[in-house]
Amino acid sequence: MKRTFLTLLLALAIGGMAAQQTSITAPADYFGFEPGTDRKLFTYEKLISYLRQLDEESSRIKLEKIGETPMGKPMYIAFISSEENIGNLDALRKINRELALNPELDDAELQKLVEQGRVFLLATLSMHASEVGPAQAAALVAHEFASTTDRKKLSWLDHVVYMMVPSHNPDGMEMIVEYYNEHLGTPYEGASLPRVYHKYVGHNNNRDFLSLTQEDNRAISRITSHTWFPQVMVEKHQMGSTGTRYFVPPNHDPIAENVPAGIFQWIGVFGQHMATDMTLDGLSGVSQHYLFDNYWPGSTETCIWKNVIGFLTEAASVQTATPIYVEPTELRVGGKGLSEYKKSTNMLMPWEGGWWRLGDIVKYELASTRSIIKTASIYREEILGFRNRMCREQVKLGRSEPPYYYILPLKQHDPGELVNLVNLMQDHGVDLFTLDKEVELEGRLYREGDIVIPLAQPFRPFIKEVMETQEFPERHYTPGGELIRPYDITSWSLPLHRHVVSHEVRTRSESLEGSLEPVAGSFSLFEEPGNGSLLLLPVNINESFRVAFHALHLGFEVERLRQSLTDGESVYGKGSFLVRSDNRKQDRWEELLEGIHFSPGWIGEGAEPDSEPLQVPRIALVETHFHDMDAGWTRYIFDSYHIPFTVLHPEQFKETDLSGTFDVILFPDTDKPVLMTGKQQSGGEYYLGSYHSDFVKGMDKEGFEKLMEFSDRGGIILAWGRSGRLFEGILKIKRGEEEEEFQLPFRDLSPDLAKSGLYIPGSLVKLDLVRDHPLTLGMPEQIGVFSRGRPIFRTSVPLFDTDRRVIGTYPEKDLLLSGYASEEEKMGNTAAIIWMRKGRGQFVLYGFNPQFRASTQAAFKLLFNGLLLHRME
Ligand SMILES: [Zn+2]
C-alpha cells in the first residue's frame, strides 16, 4: 500500500497520542479479567481503587468523595471529561449554578455562560445492587474515555463532563459480590441475597428521594440540589430476564402534571438517540414507552421536578453474573406499552432468545452510555440554554400564576414535624422564609415566625408537587377503556403525610413579600433551658419519643405522665415524657439537648407530677430473609428513634424462649405463607423463590405454637398489613397436655371488598381515632393514613376471655385525602386499627403501614404507643 505524506503524518500523530495513553491501566490488567466475563465480579473497593489509579494516570479523570453510606463506606463521583474541563471544574460548576438558579441573567450574560459552559451529565449506577451490570461496566467506560484517541469521542469530552457515580449503593454492592462469590460453583450459584442489599431499605432506596432518609441518597441528592447542578441525569438499572433486553425513555403514561413539557421532550431526545444508536450497533430488544411511567416522585429521577433532564435505563438481568439461556417461548412482556412480545413501535427489533450474559449487559451499557454522552455533546448549547429557560419560566410562573405561597403556621399539633419538614425542604434546595410580622391574607391571620415557601423559585415544580394534595391523572388505554394503573404509590404530600398544617395561598401579597426573612442554616425551635431541671417532652410530638428513648439510652431516668399536666399556659398531655437531669452526666445531658429541635417544657425539681417510670420494652422485630423492605424500614425507624430491638427470623421462633426474652413481637407487612413456610404463594400454589434452601424456612406449626404461648403469658403482638392474617380464624394455645382453641373477634373484609371493586394503590385516607386509649396518646382526632386497601377489619362481640376495641375507623364518606382510589366508600365505617385481648395477651392489628417508607409521620405514634403498651399481669 502506498503511503502518502499526509497519512504518514496522521499515523505519527495518532501514534504519539496512543503512546501518551498507553500508561492507562486496562481493566483486564487490573482486575485479572475483562469486566463482563461470565461469573466474574469485582468488589466496590476494587472498583474505587481502579478509578483512583485512573485518576492518577489520566488527566481526564478526577475522583471526588461525595459522602458516606449508611454503613460508613465512602461514596464517590468520577468526573470524566477533557483535560481542560477537568482542570476547570470549579469555574464550570459556577456556570451550572448560575444557569440553574439565576432567573435574572440578561441575554448577553446567558449567551456567554452557554458558550463557556459544558453539559454536566450525572450517571448513578447499580443503586439496586443485585443489578450488577452498570457498576461492572463503569470500569470499561472510565478506561475507554481516559484512553480514547478517537476524534469523535474526544470532541464529546470537550463538550460534556460525565459525572459517574460508580455505585449508588456501595454497601449493597459489597454484600452482593461477596455472596455471589461464596456460592460460585455450588448448586446455589446465582441465588438471591437472603436479606436486603442495603443497611435498611434494599430496593426501596429508589423510593426515598422525597424523604431523603438514607445517607447514600442524601449524598446523591446534594449533587442535583446543592453542589453540581447537572443538567442531565441517568440512573442505570436492570429488570427481569425474559422481557425486552433494554429499556430507554420515553416512559409510559401517566406522567407528572407538574413537570414541564420541555423536560419530557428532552428525555425523549436522549431516549430516541439511544434507541437509534444501539439499534445501529446491532443490539436488539431495545424498548421504549414500556412498563415504567413518569408519574410518581421518589426515585433518583425526582430531579426532573428540579429542571434536570432525568431518566432511567434498564437492562435484562442474568443470574447475578451467571449466564442464562432464554427459550424463545419464554419471552414475554408485562406492564404497559407492549401487549405482545412482537415487533412493534415500542420495540422495533425484538431479541430472539438464546444465551444472555453479563457481557451482553455490559455491551448494552457501553453503547447506551456512549449515546447519552454523544447526545449531550450534540445539543450542548440547547441543553444549557434550556436549563436557564426552565429557571426563568418557573420563577415567572410563581409570580403570575397561583398558588403563590405555601404557609406553614408555627402553631402545629406536632411542631417537631414542622421543623423536620422545613429542614427537609432546605435539603431539597428550596428557599424558605419566616414572617417578620403579622400578615392577613385570604381572611386568615399569619403570625410572626410562620414559615413561608414562595413558589417563585427555580424548583417550583418540586415545591408544588410535594406541598399539594395528589390527584391521580386518570388516563385510559383506549377512550372509555381500561384505566392505566400507577407504577407505584399515588400519595406523597409532605404536609399531609406528616399532619403538618399548610395553607396554599392563591393571592399575591406585596405586604407578605416585604415581610420575609430567609431561613438560614438548620432550622430549630429549641430554646435554652429555663429554670426548671425537669425536661418535659410533650406526647403530641413524635420527636419526644426519640428524645425519651435517647435519654434512656444515655442512662437518664425517664418517666411518663399518668395524667395531663398544666404548667402556666402549657398543657402536657397524658403520656408525655419527663427526663430528670443528672449533674454527674453533664456531657450526655448536652448531647441529649443537642438533639432537640422543638421547644420542650421545663419544670422545677419540686414539682411532683403523677408519673411512672418508662421501661424499655424488649422488642422482637420479625424480618424474613426475602428482601423484607418493610421490616428494613422499621429497623431504620427504630435505630433513628433509639428504640432497642432484636431481629427475629420466623424459623427462630421454635428454638427461642419468646416469653422469657421479649415483651413485644412486631410483625411488619409480610405474606402469611412466607412467615409460616418461607415459601411464596400465588393463586393458591406454593412456589420457591431464588433463595438458598437454608433460608426457605418459616415459623411452622411449632413456631406458631410458641407465639401463642408468648401471648398466653402476657406478651404483646403488633402486626400490620398482610401479617394480620396470621391471627384470623381458629387459633390454638397449648398448655402442657391441654389445648385450647379460640378465635379473636375480628375478620378481614379486604378480599371481599377488592372483589367488589375497591382499589387503593397506595393513597392517604382519613382515619378517625378514639380519644381514651393508650394507643392514641398524643394523637389528634383525625389523621391521614397510608392505605393499600388491605386489610380492612370488622370486629365482633367477643366471647369468653377475649376482648376488642376499635381504635381507629375509616369515616363513612369523603375518605380519600390524597392519591387514587376507586369505590373507596366501600371501606367507610370499617375498622382500621384494632386492639384485642385473649387472656393476658394483647394484639394490635393495623390495617395500614404506620411507618410506610418512613414517610407517614402522622401515624408514627400509633406504632410507638403500641410498643409502650403495659403488659397485663
Ligand atoms: Zn433497579
Side-chain angles (χ1 to χ4, degrees):
M1 200 217 284
K2 210 170 116 189
R3 264 192 172 180
T4 63
F5 179 63
L6 193 66
T7 51
L8 188 68
L9 264 189
L10 211 65
L12 279 173
I14 292 169
M17 268 160 99
Q20 187 205 328
Q21 302 294 345
T22 44
S23 57
I24 312 277
T25 308
D29 295 334
Y30 191 85
F31 299 108
F33 59 88
E34 183 73 3
T37 303
D38 288 344
R39 300 184 170 82
K40 295 279 192 188
L41 295 172
F42 46 74
T43 60
Y44 176 68
E45 242 166 77
K46 261 299 197 103
L47 173 57
I48 295 302
S49 71
Y50 175 65
L51 293 173
R52 195 170 285 127
Q53 177 144 339
L54 291 194
D55 176 334
E56 278 166 26
E57 293 173 353
S58 163
S59 47
R60 293 186 204 147
I61 294 201
K62 185 170 181 264
L63 199 63
E64 187 178 289
K65 190 180 163 190
I66 53 166
E68 282 196 357
T69 68
M71 293 167 94
K73 284 192 176 36
M75 289 181 72
Y76 297 94
I77 306 182
F79 292 89
I80 304 177
S81 191
S82 68
E83 180 176 349
E84 191 194 337
N85 292 338
I86 292 292
N88 201 24
L89 281 177
D90 273 345
L92 294 173
R93 182 217 296 248
K94 283 184 192 130
I95 295 177
N96 285 351
R97 195 182 177 87
E98 282 291 292
L99 292 173
L101 300 183
N102 189 347
E104 315 289 345
L105 293 172
D106 65 34
D107 288 352
E109 288 168 321
L110 177 58
Q111 186 56 33
K112 203 172 132 210
L113 293 181
V114 167
E115 271 165 28
Q116 294 172 347
R118 302 289 180 264
V119 175
F120 278 63
L121 159 56
L122 170 67
T124 59
L125 311 185
S126 297
M127 74 184 310
H128 295 146
S130 59
E131 302 162 9
V132 297
Q136 297 291 315
L140 292 168
V141 170
H143 178 259
E144 177 171 319
F145 285 97
S147 61
T148 187
T149 55
D150 179 289
R151 271 191 306 135
K152 269 194 205 152
K153 287 180 191 164
L154 289 172
S155 92
W156 302 345
L157 294 186
D158 287 338
H159 298 143
V160 177
V161 178
Y162 181 55
M163 306 165 69
M164 181 175 78
V165 174
S167 166
H168 179 143
N169 176 4
D171 297 332
M173 183 168 175
E174 217 67 1
M175 294 176 198
I176 290 283
V177 173
E178 223 168 75
Y179 191 77
Y180 179 76
N181 287 340
E182 263 172 38
H183 293 85
L184 255 187
T186 75
Y188 288 102
E189 179 178 311
S192 298
L193 185 76
R195 58 185 183 277
V196 288
Y197 44 64
H198 184 266
K199 184 173 182 186
Y200 296 114
V201 302
H203 200 86
N204 266 349
N205 58 356
N206 215 21
R207 306 291 185 274
D208 184 46
F209 272 80
L210 288 191
S211 301
L212 295 177
T213 62
Q214 304 301 311
E215 193 53 41
D216 37 6
N217 286 345
R218 284 200 289 275
I220 301 292
S221 176
R222 280 194 294 271
I223 302 169
T224 48
S225 302
H226 287 282
T227 52
W228 288 96
F229 298 97
Q231 295 84 21
V232 186
M233 192 285 307
V234 57
E235 51 173 313
K236 295 216 145 265
H237 291 261
Q238 290 173 211
M239 52 187 174
S241 302
T242 52
T244 71
R245 292 302 93 186
Y246 209 78
F247 169 80
V248 300
N251 291 20
H252 196 277
D253 278 321
I255 60 173
E257 295 279 303
N258 284 319
V259 174
I263 295 283
F264 290 119
Q265 276 152 353
W266 274 111
I267 293 171
V269 168
F270 277 90
Q272 200 52 46
H273 273 279
M274 260 187 283
T276 307
D277 293 339
M278 294 174 79
T279 305
L280 276 175
D281 280 355
L283 304 178
S284 58
V286 176
S287 59
Q288 297 177 280
H289 283 291
Y290 173 56
L291 192 58
F292 308 97
D293 66 40
N294 242 159
Y295 173 58
W296 116 101
S299 77
T300 320
E301 283 170 85
T302 299
C303 59
I304 68 172
W305 278 262
K306 298 178 183 176
N307 305 334
V308 179
I309 302 162
F311 48 92
L312 58 68
T313 67
E314 302 260 358
S317 294
V318 293
Q319 279 161 3
T320 316
T322 301
I324 56 171
Y325 187 88
V326 183
E327 292 283 3
T329 50
E330 288 162 355
L331 289 164
R332 59 196 148 83
V333 287
K336 35 200 180 193
L338 281 169
S339 331
E340 281 82 29
Y341 189 92
K342 289 277 161 31
K343 179 173 181 175
S344 68
T345 186
N346 293 348
M347 178 174 61
L348 292 166
M349 193 164 82
W351 181 70
E352 285 171 0
W355 282 103
W356 182 248
R357 300 170 181 279
L358 180 59
D360 294 313
I361 300 175
V362 164
K363 206 183 336 166
Y364 279 62
E365 279 309 312
L366 285 170
S368 142
T369 305
R370 284 183 204 120
S371 175
I372 300 168
I373 297 175
K374 179 181 112 179
T375 306
S377 157
I378 294 172
Y379 299 103
R380 184 189 66 86
E381 287 189 22
E382 291 85 346
I383 289 170
L384 297 181
F386 171 76
R387 181 56 187 262
N388 191 250
R389 203 176 82 214
M390 281 296 98
C391 163
R392 280 179 294 165
E393 281 181 9
Q394 292 304 321
V395 171
K396 198 171 148 199
L397 274 174
R399 290 190 181 128
S400 57
E401 200 177 85
Y404 296 104
Y405 329 98
Y406 288 96
I407 306 186
L408 298 86
L410 268 191
K411 198 170 168 322
Q412 296 279 350
H413 177 82
D414 182 344
E417 288 306 334
L418 171 73
V419 173
N420 290 342
L421 179 53
V422 168
N423 286 319
L424 175 61
M425 291 301 274
Q426 285 196 307
D427 284 349
H428 275 297
V430 171
D431 291 332
L432 296 97
F433 300 83
T434 52
L435 274 181
D436 64 9
K437 63 170 196 289
E438 269 188 10
V439 174
E440 199 187 321
L441 250 177
E442 297 179 337
R444 198 174 264 125
L445 188 67
Y446 295 101
R447 297 178 192 284
E448 187 183 337
D450 286 355
I451 303 289
V452 181
I453 311 177
L455 273 288
Q457 302 194 38
F459 292 175
R460 175 180 171 275
F462 177 82
I463 298 170
K464 191 161 174 292
E465 186 71 54
V466 301
M467 295 301 291
E468 70 187 6
T469 298
Q470 277 68 53
E471 268 177 59
F472 183 69
E474 288 188 41
R475 304 286 181 271
H476 301 82
Y477 289 98
T478 52
E482 192 193 337
L483 177 81
I484 303 177
R485 293 192 167 200
Y487 184 81
D488 204 90
I489 59 173
T490 62
S491 175
W492 42 81
S493 164
L494 295 178
L496 275 178
H497 281 226
R498 284 158 174 75
H499 199 75
V500 168
V501 175
S502 157
H503 299 291
E504 187 175 282
V505 178
R506 304 184 68 81
T507 312
R508 258 196 94 177
S509 158
E510 279 179 24
S511 158
L512 177 128
E513 287 177 23
S515 320
L516 299 178
E517 284 288 326
V519 176
S522 175
F523 182 66
S524 174
L525 296 173
F526 184 72
E527 286 156 22
E528 282 308 305
N531 292 328
S533 57
L534 292 185
L535 171 64
L536 263 172
L537 305 164
V539 67
N540 48 301
I541 299 181
N542 284 341
E543 290 287 321
S544 290
F545 289 78
R546 191 196 305 266
V547 180
F549 279 107
H550 193 198
L552 282 175
H553 175 74
L554 293 173
F556 293 101
E557 280 175 35
V558 182
E559 289 158 39
R560 226 181 162 190
L561 295 184
R562 271 197 285 234
Q563 287 178 41
S564 71
L565 173 85
T566 306
D567 182 48
E569 283 179 16
S570 309
V571 180
Y572 299 89
K574 176 180 171 184
S576 294
F577 303 94
L578 196 146
V579 189
R580 292 179 190 277
S581 67
D582 182 336
N583 287 335
R584 292 162 301 171
K585 299 171 184 160
Q586 197 55 38
D587 284 2
R588 278 181 270 171
W589 184 249
E590 271 157 32
E591 185 189 336
L592 185 71
L593 296 193
E594 262 170 37
I596 306 180
H597 303 295
F598 56 92
S599 170
W602 298 91
I603 53 172
E605 192 71 59
E608 292 207 354
D610 181 7
S611 59
E612 62 192 350
L614 173 67
Q615 310 278 6
V616 191
R618 299 168 300 165
I619 300 167
L621 168 60
V622 181
E623 178 164 353
T624 72
H625 296 289
F626 314 112
H627 205 86
D628 199 339
M629 295 182 283
D630 196 51
W633 280 112
T634 313
R635 278 192 285 113
Y636 166 71
I637 298 272
F638 284 4
D639 277 352
S640 58
Y641 278 81
H642 305 281
I643 299 172
F645 65 97
T646 306
V647 169
L648 193 64
H649 298 301
E651 78 278 8
Q652 292 173 319
F653 275 62
K654 50 189 107 149
E655 75 230 20
T656 306
D657 170 18
L658 296 178
S659 44
T661 318
F662 302 112
D663 301 305
V664 177
I665 298 181
L666 168 60
F667 290 88
D669 184 8
T670 310
D671 266 330
K672 177 179 170 181
V674 172
L675 288 166
M676 291 303 293
T677 66
K679 297 173 185 69
Q680 325 272 331
Q681 201 183 28
S682 174
E685 301 281 320
Y686 282 102
Y687 67 93
L688 292 168
S690 53
Y691 292 89
H692 192 294
S693 64
D694 283 359
F695 298 98
V696 184
K697 289 174 179 163
M699 276 192 275
D700 294 334
K701 197 165 149 262
E702 299 95 296
F704 197 76
E705 276 172 10
K706 278 287 193 72
L707 181 63
M708 290 297 99
E709 181 191 298
F710 165 81
S711 162
D712 194 41
R713 296 185 181 177
I716 296 164
I717 294 171
L718 310 180
W720 56 74
R722 294 160 296 169
S723 302
R725 300 224 121 184
L726 282 173
F727 309 104
E728 221 183 342
I730 296 166
L731 306 175
K732 211 187 294 178
I733 295 175
K734 269 178 106 170
R735 300 182 193 97
E737 293 301 295
E738 184 198 324
E739 267 191 7
E740 184 196 344
E741 287 192 328
F742 71 100
Q743 210 163 345
L744 290 169
F746 84 104
R747 196 162 81 75
D748 177 9
L749 305 176
S750 62
D752 290 343
L753 293 181
K755 270 183 223 144
S756 75
L758 173 74
Y759 169 59
I760 302 189
S763 314
L764 212 67
V765 292
K766 285 180 196 160
L767 173 67
D768 291 326
L769 292 161
V770 299
R771 311 293 299 153
D772 57 345
H773 195 275
L775 280 166
T776 60
L777 290 172
M779 293 298 293
E781 282 173 25
Q782 189 181 68
I783 58 165
V785 288
F786 188 86
S787 170
R788 292 196 135 156
R790 59 169 159 67
I792 294 167
F793 306 116
R794 173 153 297 152
T795 56
S796 50
V797 175
L799 281 173
F800 314 124
D801 64 343
T802 63
D803 199 358
R804 53 78 186 91
R805 183 86 207 271
V806 175
I807 307 298
T809 312
Y810 296 118
E812 186 80 50
K813 52 185 177 186
D814 301 327
L815 278 81
L816 187 64
L817 273 171
S818 174
Y820 183 77
S822 74
E823 305 200 32
E824 71 272 21
E825 61 287 348
K826 293 212 156 88
M827 67 196 270
N829 203 24
T830 59
I833 167 169
I834 52 179
W835 172 90
M836 290 178 295
R837 180 177 72 80
K838 157 67 188 164
R840 289 187 297 147
Q842 299 175 72
F843 298 79
V844 182
L845 302 191
Y846 304 78
F848 50 90
N849 297 27
Q851 62 9 321
F852 182 73
R853 295 178 185 166
S855 71
T856 51
Q857 283 74 0
F860 279 8
K861 285 185 282 277
L862 294 172
L863 164 59
F864 299 150
N865 284 326
L867 299 172
L868 297 178
L869 284 175
H870 288 306
R871 285 180 74 115
M872 288 186 167
E873 298 308 329

